[in-house]
Amino acid sequence: MQNILIVEDEKRVADLLKKGLEENGYKTLVAYDGAMGLRLFQTDSFQLVISDIILPKMDGFELCKEIRRINDKVPVLMLTALGFTDDKLDGFDAGADDYMTKPFDFRELIARVKVLLKRDIGKTAAPPEQTGYADLSINLNLQEVRRQGRVIKLSPKEYNLLVYMVENAERVISRMEISEKVWNTHFDTGTNFIDVYINYLRKKIDRDFDTKLIHTKPGVGFILIEKP
């Protein structure tokens, strides 16, 4: 039985999550503050963490960072009343895998839980060590990006986005596809966090080079293609 850690200080919401998840066949433990959540994570084995952001003693962003220091594989779903783009960016930068705002549809929550728990199933083939496009190269083992031999430092989200664009070079990728395939989230038309990350990536990948690789197709999405 898959074990899920719920970190939520509002008892009504915590009870709702616990009851609904257990009715769907999951085992759960509940923590009512961030520090307690971290202690439980350190002492038990979990396949998923669902955490609020505004928590006593340690907020959800800091908790997520601590979880990532301990284990960078366990998926983290941020569940919060905050819905602004900056809050989502902060959550993803902290290491979160998905983000839902309250109030939420429990059927959607269960669907996202299933996606997060199954995302690594079936990945048995040895991954390639190197990929790239044009004068851009990526060492997948070291997660090191170079352009014309120059090392380019990226955040984890920027790196994952770039790898996906390289793997789908010369093909237009929609915002919805990026949201679902790169970060296992559901695209929210009310925010522009994908455009924000594209701009971050463009500044690092293209700004200092004559040939631009990342291009916008207005109303459609983005494409990685070599153009002067």
Side-chain angles (χ1 to χ4, degrees):
M1 185 179 293
Q2 291 167 307
N3 197 15
I4 298 176
L5 174 62
I6 300 166
V7 190
E8 169 61 64
D9 64 324
E10 189 176 345
K11 189 175 186 305
R12 180 186 61 82
V13 177
D15 290 345
L16 173 67
L17 288 168
K18 180 176 177 64
K19 182 173 184 288
L21 288 167
E22 291 182 351
E23 286 177 351
N24 279 271
Y26 301 106
K27 180 182 175 183
T28 66
L29 278 178
V30 177
Y32 296 102
D33 62 66
M36 179 182 177
L38 181 59
R39 288 196 300 272
L40 288 178
F41 188 82
Q42 291 171 322
T43 57
D44 207 335
S45 177
F46 297 96
Q47 285 70 56
L48 175 69
V49 177
I50 299 176
S51 175
D52 194 7
I53 287 181
I54 300 176
L55 294 167
K57 299 184 180 180
M58 176 187 293
D59 67 33
F61 296 141
E62 188 60 33
L63 173 62
C64 190
K65 290 177 182 178
E66 291 298 323
I67 287 172
R68 283 289 164 261
R69 290 191 185 102
I70 300 167
N71 187 319
D72 63 355
K73 302 298 183 185
V74 174
V76 177
L77 170 61
M78 305 296 279
L79 186 67
T80 177
L82 301 176
F84 301 109
T85 297
D86 286 347
D87 297 317
K88 292 189 176 184
L89 294 177
D90 288 342
F92 288 138
D93 286 341
D97 298 274
D98 200 355
Y99 193 111
M100 285 190 71
T101 55
K102 303 174 186 176
F104 56 89
D105 185 314
F106 203 84
R107 292 170 298 180
E108 182 182 356
L109 178 93
I110 291 297
R112 296 201 194 187
V113 165
K114 289 179 178 178
V115 168
L116 290 170
L117 289 172
K118 291 180 178 179
R119 65 182 182 174
D120 292 325
I121 293 176
K123 295 182 180 178
T124 57
E129 296 180 358
Q130 192 88 13
T131 189
Y133 177 81
D135 57 0
L136 183 72
S137 64
I138 304 174
N139 185 312
L140 298 171
N141 289 338
L142 299 176
Q143 294 193 358
E144 182 180 80
V145 177
R146 291 176 180 266
R147 186 159 186 198
Q148 295 181 7
R150 186 189 308 177
V151 175
I152 298 173
K153 294 184 179 180
L154 302 177
S155 71
K157 291 298 178 185
E158 292 166 351
Y159 173 82
N160 291 337
L161 174 56
L162 180 63
V163 169
Y164 190 77
M165 295 188 77
V166 167
E167 290 173 345
N168 293 272
E170 301 186 4
R171 181 176 75 81
V172 176
I173 304 171
S174 70
R175 290 169 177 81
M176 182 176 294
E177 181 178 348
I178 291 172
S179 180
E180 294 180 353
K181 300 295 185 182
V182 179
W183 298 325
N184 294 307
T185 67
H186 292 253
F187 179 57
D188 182 353
T189 56
T191 64
N192 67 337
F193 73 92
I194 291 175
D195 295 73
V196 170
Y197 270 101
I198 287 287
N199 287 333
Y200 287 164
L201 198 56
R202 184 179 278 126
K203 288 178 182 178
K204 294 181 179 182
I205 297 299
D206 282 340
R207 183 174 57 186
D208 297 330
F209 301 90
D210 294 332
T211 301
K212 308 307 178 186
L213 297 179
I214 301 172
H215 304 273
T216 301
K217 293 289 185 179
V220 183
F222 309 96
I223 184 171
L224 186 80
I225 190 169
E226 190 174 13
K227 288 184 178 181

